[in-house]
Amino acid sequence: MKNTQLEKDARERMKPGVITARGFLGRDERSLADIIQADEEAFRRLGLEFDAVADRLEAWKESGTRGLGEPITVEGRWLVRTGDARGVLPCPWEDGVYHKNSVDVTDPRNGDLIIYSDLSVHLLRVHHFCQGLGSPFRLDPDTLARMMKA
Amino acid sequence: MSPLLIGPLATGAISGLLALVIALTDRVVNNYGEVTVDINGGKKSLKVKGGSPLLGTLAAENIFVPSACGGRGSCGACKVRVLSDVGPHLPTETPYLNPEELARNVRLSCQIKLKADIRIEIPDELFYVKKFAAKVESIRDLTYDIKEVRVLLKSPASIEYVPGQYAQLVVPPYDDIPESVQRAYSMSSRPGEPDHVEFLIRLVPGGIATSWVFKYLKQGMDVDLVGPFGEFRVHDTPAAMICVAGGSGMAPFWSMFRDMKEKNTFPEKDIWYFFGARTTRDMFFLDELRALEKDMPRFHFVPALSEPKTEEGWTGETGLITDVLDRYLKEKIDPSKPKEGYLCGSPGMINACIAVMTKNSIPEGGIYYDKFA
């Protein structure tokens, strides 16, 4: 799939050592357009909406902050821990700056774990970018679907 | 000469000539020569080679401005005030600076390239910060996700610091991490043992430094530290200390309490330590803190669990630590005595505790904290 110059520039900024030491791409060598297209197809297949998932991630974060940095059980099911780090991170598409934080949500039913930040939620909601395969902050559509299932 | 060779040879010659022109231009245009860095109104003056970022240039002269990202401009920690004209703030700096800092020309030292003489202001304490070569003496699991790392300092062989200060652990490149990074951790050790430093490090899923500590750091390995940094410390007043921290946030307090006991400093201060966790498997040093309570009658330890399991048989306080703190401030701690707050944790935890403390008449100016962010 053809990439716009904006996507090519964003991909360069996603490499390790540019915005974050680890980058956003993991071991994924596909272009941004290909990564996004594949994950959009997965979202359609799984019946997920990007805005609804982003809203859910923000809700978990809000509930998790009540734990004051310690893990806390949310809605009787998910174990959520929120943490903060020094500084802010710009979006690789250069359309915003986000506080450096991390939220980890575990589903004790099956051990599923997702890790995300305010920037991850923005990347998902606005750019439909779940991060590359192997990135620790990747929001894998299949994992999201399992975690959001009642 | 074969006509077939003329083209490639001509291209090669032109490319070589262009490379030479670029190299010569670079030497002329980017040669800033020797520049002077005046620090704190002449307290220190450095003659250095121009052309590099201020942060790295200062580090090469053994002046270590705190930095967590290694100069990539993504942590916003390496702030210095610049009194000379070095041009307007860069777009890479402004997200990290508040209006007051912008007005005072506070800059990120990693983003300023030294092109001419410069005058800067940094906290005097940074003159005493050193880089230490150390060896890991032991690593102990305190919980399933918190380790105590104890290192022996080799060069310099001892460190002077105040309980509550932090040091930066230098993480080398590993796996897919291409560059060295530094992360700040409060020292949990006692200054009375100056040849050792201890840290309490909690695993942050996906975290660069903590993943390295948990996966690769082993007993006997060499590590580098930079420190001490920070202004978090016990204040010399008669007010009671109301301390709150959970998890690895205990580190500065573990240093403070043991130092106060060892040296009998601030003997008029009562100390209350509120330690919040989810279940007993998230707690550690319970026996040590209870022993400290026996040895030092002015020390009061209040552990609390937010989600105790029935089978744990927990008989202590329950609920979020902010709720427990609120109850104690209202019902159990002498309201007639002055109090001050000491907090270590995430901004969310600190803000929540400040709200509880101020509601219970602890003045905001008397609440001291070490925010993780």
Side-chain angles (χ1 to χ4, degrees):
Chain A
M1 193 173 169
K2 201 155 177 62
N3 284 265
T4 64
Q5 189 57 44
L6 200 62
E7 283 169 332
K8 287 178 187 165
D9 292 345
R11 197 181 194 289
E12 283 304 303
R13 286 189 281 270
M14 288 183 184
K15 288 182 175 172
V18 183
I19 293 175
T20 67
R22 186 168 263 152
F24 300 78
L25 298 166
R27 58 177 186 278
D28 211 321
E29 292 182 352
R30 293 174 294 171
S31 70
L32 279 197
D34 287 343
I35 295 172
I36 290 168
Q37 188 187 38
D39 285 334
E40 283 177 337
E41 280 172 13
F43 264 58
R44 272 194 294 277
R45 171 173 55 81
L46 295 160
L48 298 174
E49 300 273 347
F50 282 93
D51 273 334
V53 172
D55 288 346
R56 193 74 182 99
L57 297 176
E58 286 179 343
W60 277 329
K61 187 193 95 171
E62 288 308 313
S63 303
T65 53
R66 288 194 313 111
L68 308 173
E70 295 299 304
I72 187 169
T73 304
V74 171
E75 295 169 36
R77 174 172 164 191
W78 298 281
L79 194 59
V80 182
R81 187 169 74 182
T82 60
D84 297 87
R86 237 171 261 273
V88 293
L89 295 172
C91 173
W93 273 273
E94 295 190 315
D95 59 347
V97 172
Y98 297 86
H99 173 59
K100 256 188 191 176
N101 62 349
S102 76
V103 181
D104 56 81
V105 181
T106 307
D107 187 347
R109 288 184 187 181
N110 54 15
D112 275 339
L113 165 71
I114 53 170
I115 309 166
Y116 58 96
S117 65
D118 287 354
L119 175 57
S120 315
V121 177
H122 165 79
L123 290 171
L124 187 84
R125 187 191 294 281
V126 175
H127 302 290
H128 294 188
F129 179 60
C130 299
Q131 306 208 15
L133 297 171
S135 166
F137 281 64
R138 174 165 168 78
L139 294 165
D140 174 61
D142 288 294
T143 309
L144 288 170
R146 283 196 302 275
M147 294 195 79
M148 293 181 67
K149 201 172 171 184
Chain B
M1 180 183 294
S2 163
L4 288 173
L5 290 174
I6 293 175
L9 283 174
T11 308
I14 292 168
S15 301
L17 188 64
L18 280 174
L20 184 67
V21 168
I22 290 168
L24 288 172
T25 309
D26 187 57
R27 283 189 68 175
V28 173
V29 174
N30 290 331
N31 181 6
Y32 299 101
E34 189 179 72
V35 299
T36 302
V37 183
D38 178 284
I39 307 173
N40 295 0
K43 279 189 181 167
K44 201 152 209 166
S45 183
L46 309 172
K47 297 274 186 201
V48 296
K49 187 172 177 293
S52 297
L54 178 60
L55 176 71
T57 304
L58 290 173
E61 297 290 325
N62 291 321
I63 295 176
F64 299 99
V65 176
S67 167
C69 67
R72 272 197 313 278
S74 69
C75 71
C78 62
K79 292 173 184 175
V80 301
R81 187 177 179 211
V82 177
L83 305 173
S84 317
D85 181 10
V86 291
H89 285 93
L90 301 173
T92 47
E93 296 177 273
T94 47
Y96 302 94
L97 302 167
N98 61 37
E100 188 196 339
E101 289 170 330
L102 288 167
R104 297 179 66 237
N105 204 31
V106 171
R107 309 294 297 258
L108 297 190
S109 58
C110 68
Q111 300 297 303
I112 296 173
K113 198 170 173 182
L114 282 177
K115 298 177 181 174
D117 292 351
I118 187 172
R119 290 182 299 123
I120 63 170
E121 276 182 7
I122 60 175
D124 279 344
E125 290 79 13
L126 294 186
F127 292 137
Y128 306 106
V129 171
K130 294 175 187 166
K131 188 168 190 174
F132 295 85
K135 186 180 280 293
V136 177
E137 196 169 81
S138 64
I139 300 177
R140 184 157 64 123
D141 286 332
L142 300 180
T143 70
Y144 62 98
D145 68 349
I146 298 178
K147 287 183 188 290
E148 180 190 63
V149 177
R150 177 177 166 88
V151 302
L152 172 68
L153 301 179
K154 295 192 301 182
S155 176
S158 68
I159 182 171
E160 278 182 40
Y161 63 98
V162 177
Q165 287 193 293
Y166 68 88
Q168 297 198 158
L169 184 62
V170 180
V171 178
Y174 73 97
D175 290 351
D176 55 347
I177 308 298
E179 294 171 1
S180 174
V181 296
Q182 296 187 17
R183 288 291 183 271
Y185 296 100
S186 293
M187 291 179 274
S188 56
S189 40
R190 297 177 294 111
E193 198 182 16
D195 56 343
H196 282 86
V197 170
E198 293 165 2
F199 300 104
L200 307 181
I201 298 180
R202 182 176 214 165
L203 178 65
V204 177
I208 291 168
T210 65
S211 297
W212 175 74
V213 168
F214 274 66
K215 194 173 172 186
Y216 292 112
L217 192 63
K218 305 284 181 225
Q219 187 179 348
M221 275 175 61
D222 289 329
V223 288
D224 287 337
L225 318 172
V226 180
F229 294 103
E231 294 171 2
F232 189 54
R233 62 197 61 192
V234 181
H235 288 251
D236 191 3
T237 70
M241 291 175 73
I242 310 296
C243 311
V244 189
S248 55
M250 184 198 288
F253 297 125
W254 189 229
S255 176
M256 287 175 181
F257 301 155
R258 291 188 295 162
D259 189 65
M260 288 168 82
K261 181 193 161 208
E262 185 176 284
K263 298 174 182 163
N264 195 27
T265 45
F266 315 108
E268 72 284 12
K269 268 184 171 328
D270 271 347
I271 309 162
W272 292 80
Y273 176 40
F274 293 85
F275 179 31
R278 180 171 163 261
T279 65
T280 49
R281 70 192 285 261
D282 299 299
M283 289 199 147
F284 57 96
F285 286 163
L286 285 184
D287 292 342
E288 290 87 341
L289 286 159
R290 285 178 177 139
L292 190 63
E293 206 172 24
K294 280 186 185 152
D295 292 345
M296 196 162 57
R298 62 192 170 111
F299 177 69
H300 312 276
F301 176 45
V302 186
L305 296 183
S306 62
E307 298 179 19
K309 293 188 167 70
T310 313
E311 61 269 24
E312 289 179 315
W314 178 252
T315 55
E317 298 289 344
T318 57
L320 287 175
I321 198 66
T322 39
D323 297 336
V324 176
L325 173 67
D326 192 42
R327 279 204 301 273
Y328 269 71
L329 286 172
K330 283 187 168 59
E331 300 163 11
K332 302 206 172 181
I333 303 177
D334 185 349
S336 66
K337 283 191 176 173
K339 301 175 198 68
E340 52 197 23
Y342 291 81
L343 310 168
C344 182
S346 68
M349 173 269 188
I350 285 174
N351 293 340
C353 289
I354 289 174
V356 173
M357 288 180 165
T358 52
K359 197 175 74 178
N360 286 283
S361 304
I362 299 179
E364 193 158 353
I367 301 174
Y368 310 103
Y369 46 82
D370 188 5
K371 268 189 189 179
F372 287 175

